[in-house]
Amino acid sequence: MTENRDDAPLHADAPRGVRIPAGWTGSVTEIDPRSTPGFDGDKAAGRQRLVELDDQLDDLQERLFADGRAGAADRSVLLVLQGMDTSGKGGIIRHVVGAMDPQGVDITAFKAPTDEEKKHDFLWRIRPHVPRPGQIGVFDRSHYEDVLIHRVHGWADEDEIQRRYGAIEAFERELVARGTVVVKVMLHISYAEQGERLMERLERPDKHWKFNPGDVDERAHWPAYMEAYDRALAATSTEQAPWHVIPADRKWYARIAVQQLLLDALRTIDPQWPAADFDVEEQIARLRATMD
Amino acid sequence: MTENRDDAPLHADAPRGVRIPAGWTGSVTEIDPRSTPGFDGDKAAGRQRLVELDDQLDDLQERLFADGRAGAADRSVLLVLQGMDTSGKGGIIRHVVGAMDPQGVDITAFKAPTDEEKKHDFLWRIRPHVPRPGQIGVFDRSHYEDVLIHRVHGWADEDEIQRRYGAIEAFERELVARGTVVVKVMLHISYAEQGERLMERLERPDKHWKFNPGDVDERAHWPAYMEAYDRALAATSTEQAPWHVIPADRKWYARIAVQQLLLDALRTIDPQWPAADFDVEEQIARLRATMD
């Protein structure tokens, strides 16, 4: 079943969460975090799909890597992962991104900015980490924190937030123009699910290191965060760099959805094995002469 | 069978290639590239072992990562991969390193130095890439190129090569002193096997991108490279940062051997889940108050 789907065109039914159109006026709160849009299988079917499509992802990623090494083109993918604490960003990196050859993947986790970084415009610390040709870059949090947590806590006023939306749109347009496919994902969990996941971190000593008392403080701002996401997605979901809201209360669904979006991105690029820039027969003869 | 082995102490029989003692006077040419020291199983058994021990590797790596995040210690692993063209460095990264969470792994491929890098001492471009606390750093080629290809081609004279051995020894001693376990691996293939593998790259269009006519030129210097390895290993295999020569004509063996060395390194560190730096019961109560 999944195989028919994935040989089909990009617009075919498949798990991709909810694509946010340009000019959107909705709210993420209208999207059910337990839903599985584009996929009618259960958890077992989802897990099977993840494993089955890994080979396709791996193959396409290797072609992209080869394409980058050949230096003929400047094509890459940038996966931007956003979501509330415990929404599963780490699990996506481990189980979806981790299925690809690590030589072709470049992951950057953006923490609170350093004093040095705070002296510059918010995109200054982002730019050095955009993917090189042939690479799949992954942002674990990103420049969007500067219009999310900054809005929620009032660290930037409305004018400044608006300016940042514009700067982000220009930045991403520039990335797309140079050949990067930008995949923006909001992992969408429910308030109740976050409570359960934080509780698990507190109840298991091997998870204590993932917990920070500040996580409970931020949780108190949940409605403000959802509103900040609504505004940010509305302002920055564009035709060339759309947002996808991925229901993430079911981890298995979030993983197959991000996997699908990466497959879509790579198929859009359609990387081909680079042609030899040497005379193959001549090199075979040279090599053969060394093999007595 | 493998499970008994791996609960056993570090000195137990296991695939680790050939450890080069300090003061070594041997030659890599005395080590059979098709041998499988420490392992008497066949290819199927080797592949099974690789999969079986992945979970242990993954678990230990996550503990190391947690340890690094907690900031209490400064422990890390550095895997240095050296070997002739086609010796399987990429396969090790893909199949052994790739089994771990990519968030905890930092891979650097060292190519020919840039003009800027050439202006500095040879370790200048290496230092920024040593692993951060909690990370497993991987060098795909390394500072050893400066005593290998440089010796073979006479780009550095004997005095300079000797100076570099000393600088490398001091550099690695410094890494070990700050808490990094240094694992140095030479993937050891035969001249005949390299010929086969280069031929495959020429015969398969999807492998052409991996081939460079210069590979055949370098192949002509094979004996000089082996001698350069002998000298480098003799000069830089120390008690704290020993070399392992891994017979690599059988790819499956090389992979389980590097996996074993990474397991050894992590068990030496023996990372523990960090203790909570907050009052767990208090946080559970705070969280519970948000979960009505």
Side-chain angles (χ1 to χ4, degrees):
Chain A
M1 185 181 71
T2 53
E3 294 204 336
N4 284 338
R5 274 187 182 153
D6 295 291
D7 292 336
L10 290 185
H11 60 266
D13 194 35
R16 298 185 173 96
V18 176
R19 181 180 166 132
I20 304 300
W24 185 61
T25 55
S27 170
V28 293
T29 59
E30 293 157 7
I31 299 169
D32 179 359
R34 288 192 67 77
S35 63
T36 62
F39 191 74
D40 55 14
D42 61 4
K43 181 175 183 172
R47 287 187 164 180
Q48 192 184 339
R49 181 187 170 94
L50 191 69
V51 172
E52 282 175 2
L53 296 188
D54 268 354
D55 284 348
Q56 288 186 36
L57 190 59
D58 198 47
D59 175 64
L60 284 162
Q61 184 264 329
E62 192 184 2
R63 286 171 184 258
L64 180 67
F65 184 74
D67 188 68
R69 287 280 286 272
D74 186 355
R75 286 175 288 198
S76 59
V77 175
L78 174 61
L79 173 64
V80 174
L81 289 176
Q82 285 290 154
M84 300 295 285
D85 282 332
T86 77
S87 60
K89 297 182 291 291
I92 295 286
I93 294 173
R94 188 170 188 137
H95 298 282
V96 182
V97 175
M100 295 182 287
D101 187 340
Q103 294 170 97
V105 173
D106 189 8
I107 301 162
T108 310
F110 290 100
K111 310 289 182 190
T114 63
D115 288 343
E116 174 68 17
E117 287 167 349
K118 283 181 190 164
K119 288 182 197 157
H120 297 83
D121 191 49
F122 74 106
L123 291 173
W124 180 80
R125 67 170 185 152
I126 306 293
R127 292 184 182 276
H129 298 284
V130 301
R132 286 161 288 148
Q135 294 273 320
I136 297 181
V138 179
F139 285 179
D140 175 0
R141 302 191 185 272
S142 68
H143 44 297
Y144 283 96
E145 291 298 322
D146 297 275
V147 293
L148 293 168
I149 189 170
H150 282 237
R151 171 186 280 273
V152 168
H153 289 286
W155 298 339
D157 65 20
E158 181 62 29
D159 282 355
E160 172 62 10
I161 294 288
Q162 292 295 334
R163 184 193 71 80
R164 290 181 188 176
Y165 291 153
I168 288 172
E169 196 271 337
F171 169 60
E172 293 176 355
R173 189 161 9 94
E174 180 191 313
L175 285 179
V176 171
R178 65 158 212 178
T180 302
V181 177
V182 179
V183 179
K184 301 188 292 192
V185 162
M186 181 219 178
L187 296 173
H188 177 48
I189 55 168
S190 64
Y191 182 76
E193 179 70 17
Q194 188 193 51
E196 300 293 335
R197 292 186 187 177
L198 286 173
M199 191 60 84
E200 190 191 3
R201 291 183 179 180
L202 282 167
E203 287 172 344
R204 287 180 50 178
D206 64 329
K207 301 282 186 192
H208 283 166
W209 66 278
K210 293 188 175 184
F211 181 88
N212 186 308
D215 299 345
V216 181
D217 302 326
E218 288 306 295
R219 180 168 162 78
H221 299 288
W222 189 275
Y225 270 106
M226 293 306 107
E227 196 195 337
Y229 270 106
D230 289 346
R231 301 283 199 92
L233 271 52
T236 63
S237 209
T238 58
E239 197 56 46
Q240 76 268 11
W243 276 99
H244 286 82
V245 176
I246 310 280
D249 273 11
R250 302 179 199 257
K251 289 179 180 174
W252 62 264
Y253 175 78
R255 291 171 191 170
I256 60 175
V258 175
Q259 183 191 52
Q260 180 64 48
L261 294 175
L262 286 173
L263 283 168
D264 290 349
L266 288 163
R267 287 175 187 156
T268 300
I269 294 174
D270 191 24
Q272 302 298 317
W273 297 117
D277 57 0
F278 48 83
D279 182 325
V280 176
E281 291 309 317
E282 179 188 331
Q283 295 301 323
I284 287 177
R286 285 185 72 214
L287 178 60
R288 194 160 281 147
T290 73
M291 291 175 73
D292 301 327
Chain B
M1 183 182 74
T2 52
E3 295 205 333
N4 283 336
R5 274 186 182 153
D6 294 290
D7 293 337
L10 290 185
H11 59 264
D13 193 35
R16 298 186 173 95
V18 176
R19 181 181 165 131
I20 304 300
W24 185 61
T25 55
S27 170
V28 293
T29 60
E30 294 157 7
I31 298 168
D32 179 359
R34 289 192 66 77
S35 62
T36 62
F39 191 74
D40 55 15
D42 61 5
K43 182 175 184 172
R47 287 187 164 183
Q48 191 183 342
R49 180 187 171 95
L50 190 69
V51 172
E52 282 175 1
L53 296 188
D54 268 353
D55 284 347
Q56 288 185 36
L57 191 58
D58 199 47
D59 176 65
L60 284 162
Q61 184 263 329
E62 192 185 3
R63 286 171 185 259
L64 179 68
F65 184 73
D67 188 67
R69 287 280 285 272
D74 186 357
R75 287 176 286 198
S76 58
V77 174
L78 174 62
L79 172 64
V80 174
L81 289 175
Q82 285 289 156
M84 301 295 285
D85 283 332
T86 77
S87 60
K89 297 182 290 293
I92 295 286
I93 294 173
R94 187 169 188 138
H95 297 283
V96 182
V97 175
M100 296 183 286
D101 187 340
Q103 295 169 96
V105 172
D106 190 9
I107 301 163
T108 311
F110 290 100
K111 311 287 181 190
T114 62
D115 288 342
E116 174 67 18
E117 288 168 348
K118 283 180 188 163
K119 288 182 198 158
H120 297 83
D121 191 49
F122 74 108
L123 291 174
W124 180 80
R125 67 172 185 150
I126 305 293
R127 291 184 182 276
H129 298 284
V130 300
R132 286 160 291 150
Q135 294 273 319
I136 297 181
V138 180
F139 286 178
D140 175 0
R141 303 191 185 271
S142 66
H143 44 295
Y144 283 97
E145 291 298 321
D146 297 274
V147 293
L148 293 168
I149 190 170
H150 282 238
R151 172 186 280 274
V152 168
H153 290 287
W155 298 338
D157 66 20
E158 180 63 28
D159 282 354
E160 173 61 11
I161 296 287
Q162 292 296 332
R163 184 193 72 79
R164 291 180 188 177
Y165 290 154
I168 288 172
E169 196 271 336
F171 168 61
E172 293 177 354
R173 190 162 8 96
E174 179 192 313
L175 284 179
V176 171
R178 65 156 213 178
T180 302
V181 177
V182 179
V183 179
K184 300 188 293 194
V185 162
M186 181 217 177
L187 296 173
H188 177 49
I189 55 168
S190 64
Y191 182 77
E193 179 71 17
Q194 189 194 51
E196 301 292 335
R197 293 185 187 179
L198 287 173
M199 192 59 84
E200 190 190 4
R201 291 183 179 180
L202 283 167
E203 287 172 346
R204 288 179 50 178
D206 64 331
K207 301 280 186 193
H208 283 166
W209 65 279
K210 292 187 174 185
F211 181 88
N212 186 308
D215 299 345
V216 181
D217 301 327
E218 288 305 296
R219 180 167 160 79
H221 300 290
W222 189 275
Y225 269 107
M226 294 304 109
E227 196 194 338
Y229 270 106
D230 289 346
R231 300 285 199 92
L233 270 52
T236 62
S237 207
T238 58
E239 197 56 46
Q240 75 269 11
W243 276 98
H244 287 80
V245 176
I246 311 278
D249 273 11
R250 303 179 200 259
K251 289 178 181 174
W252 62 265
Y253 174 79
R255 291 171 191 171
I256 60 174
V258 175
Q259 182 190 53
Q260 180 64 47
L261 294 175
L262 286 174
L263 283 168
D264 291 349
L266 288 163
R267 287 175 186 155
T268 299
I269 293 174
D270 191 23
Q272 302 299 316
W273 297 116
D277 58 359
F278 48 82
D279 182 325
V280 176
E281 291 309 318
E282 179 189 332
Q283 295 301 323
I284 287 177
R286 285 185 71 213
L287 178 60
R288 194 158 283 147
T290 73
M291 292 175 73
D292 300 326

